[in-house]
Amino acid sequence: MNKLSKTVLCVVLALALTGCGGGGAKKPEAAKPAETYTIKVANFYAADHPINQSVKRFQQTVESKTGGKVKVQNFPNSALGSEEVFIDSVKKGTVQMGIPGTMLSRDVPAYSIVEMPFLFVGWEHARKVLTGPIAEEMNKPLIEKTGMRLLGVAVNGMRVISSGKAVNNYDDLKGLRLRVPNVPYYVEMVKAFGGVPTTLPLSEVFNALEQKVVDGQDNPYPTVRASKFYEVQKYMLESNHMFSPANWVINEKFFQSLPKEYQAIVVDAAKDAIQHNWEISMKKDQEDKNFLQEKGLTIVVPDKSFRDKLQESQKEVYTWFYNKYPGTKELADKIRAVK
């Protein structure tokens, strides 16, 4: 009986564990982990530049609102290559986001108009244009031609000229070797000033200034400070000759791969970060000007006669613009009409 009881008990236990005829409960499958996404952001600005302060805000918002399901990794200071390189990387999708300037005009010529010399009369004029309907009109072809979506236009700022020698009047610009980005209209602008343009990526500018390969460069005050050009330059000309935007772009295929709720979070977070960027940049422009003066840089503000000569020199550049980039004259007229 003991032997029989043991046999019956084993059978009962086996049926309980495996089910009779396969009809028992199946072992539950392990839950699949939730999908996560990573957004790499490439830009050429120094780590403490207002652009990267705004990227940090974007990162915090996106990661918080997605519960960490969307991670944002920032790569400032050309860590993922020069502007040309990372634009191509965003196009391909190997980098998800980038913050280039108007080098986007390689693919969408209308972008060039934003940096036409002396087009904007000040910060508020630039802000109204670049956050309004004209900017939307300019950006329509971007997805089709590049595979990138524009999330908004932030600020690089009003460009000024730094140099190793004083530029007190228009004639002092003649023969000045100025670094410019590899963008055709920068080259034309410097030629019209009477200077000698040299194209270099931003990451190489400090060494070029230090080794006197070039005499100077043009960038907004925050870039001059963040890139520490004040260590190798003595003078600034507050020409305010050009306003430079910072375009937040994202690879369209990657954007569409995100769940709809995450797309909305990314769009809203970018708008918030860009709005923040405009606010801090306008304030920081004056703060950084003061900082550079404290570091010993002499800042020359051109009088009306000097400024008139600077603007007058660009008339041929305007003609060049309109011929090189069809449709830009009409856009320029619309921008000038904005009050």
Side-chain angles (χ1 to χ4, degrees), residues 45 98-104 111 139 150 152-154 245-249:
Y45 300 95
I99 308 178
T102 48
M103 199 169 281
L104 289 178
Y111 271 91
N139 295 326
L150 187 79
V153 181
N247 302 289
W248 288 42
V249 293

Side-chain angles (χ1 to χ4, degrees), residues 17-299:
L17 290 172
T18 64
C20 182
K26 294 182 179 179
K27 185 178 179 181
E29 294 181 4
K32 293 182 179 179
E35 191 167 3
T36 58
Y37 303 85
T38 299
I39 300 176
K40 293 180 182 178
V41 183
N43 69 80
F44 53 77
Y45 300 95
D48 58 351
H49 189 279
I51 284 293
N52 284 304
Q53 294 177 29
S54 302
V55 174
K56 185 175 181 180
R57 183 182 178 102
F58 171 77
Q59 176 186 27
Q60 291 170 341
T61 302
V62 168
E63 293 183 353
S64 172
K65 291 193 173 182
T66 62
K69 297 295 177 60
V70 180
K71 299 288 186 184
V72 177
Q73 298 175 353
N74 190 29
F75 295 88
N77 208 25
S78 301
L80 296 182
S82 67
E83 184 178 6
E84 291 174 280
V85 170
F86 74 68
I87 287 175
D88 289 338
S89 296
V90 177
K91 285 182 183 178
K92 295 173 185 174
T94 52
V95 174
Q96 291 72 39
M97 275 184 65
I99 308 178
T102 48
M103 199 169 281
L104 289 178
S105 63
R106 292 184 305 167
D107 300 294
V108 183
Y111 271 91
S112 62
I113 192 63
V114 177
E115 289 188 325
M116 180 181 282
F118 302 104
L119 178 64
F120 293 104
V121 297
W123 280 87
E124 287 299 344
H125 183 209
R127 183 176 189 171
K128 192 167 185 179
V129 169
L130 296 174
T131 59
I134 292 177
E136 292 177 10
E137 178 183 341
M138 290 165 51
N139 295 326
K140 284 178 182 177
L142 189 65
I143 293 176
E144 179 183 346
K145 292 188 176 182
T146 70
M148 297 185 293
R149 169 184 295 263
L150 187 79
L151 295 173
V153 181
V155 182
N156 186 355
M158 287 288 183
R159 298 180 84 95
V160 293
I161 295 172
S162 74
S163 61
K165 60 181 182 179
V167 180
N168 294 310
N169 54 63
Y170 183 75
D171 289 338
D172 288 338
L173 285 168
K174 291 180 180 178
L176 195 71
R177 296 172 300 166
L178 284 176
R179 171 271 171 182
V180 293
N182 189 21
V183 179
Y185 49 83
Y186 278 85
V187 173
E188 297 300 320
M189 176 189 69
V190 172
K191 285 180 180 177
F193 283 152
V196 180
T198 301
T199 58
L200 289 170
L202 186 63
S203 57
E204 296 178 16
V205 175
F206 185 94
N207 287 339
L209 294 170
E210 185 176 39
Q211 296 167 14
K212 303 189 185 306
V213 174
V214 292
D215 300 313
Q217 59 81 48
D218 81 310
N219 260 301
Y221 284 127
T223 302
V224 174
R225 177 179 181 176
S227 300
K228 298 187 177 181
F229 295 154
Y230 57 85
E231 294 182 358
V232 288
Q233 299 275 263
K234 294 181 179 180
Y235 301 94
M236 302 287 303
L237 174 64
E238 193 173 290
S239 49
N240 288 342
H241 54 275
M242 181 187 287
F243 186 88
S244 289
N247 302 289
W248 288 42
V249 293
I250 188 168
N251 178 272
E252 177 66 7
K253 287 184 179 178
F254 171 78
F255 181 78
Q256 294 300 337
S257 76
L258 295 172
K260 294 295 183 184
E261 61 269 30
Y262 291 174
Q263 291 180 13
I265 288 170
V266 166
V267 168
D268 290 344
K271 286 181 180 178
D272 170 72
I274 289 168
Q275 174 70 19
H276 175 69
N277 178 253
W278 275 94
E279 292 168 0
I280 64 174
S281 294
M282 294 170 73
K283 181 180 177 182
K284 191 166 173 49
D285 192 68
Q286 183 61 48
E287 290 177 354
D288 288 344
K289 176 181 176 180
N290 296 341
F291 171 86
L292 294 170
Q293 287 177 310
E294 290 169 4
K295 287 293 183 181
L297 269 72
T298 299
I299 297 179

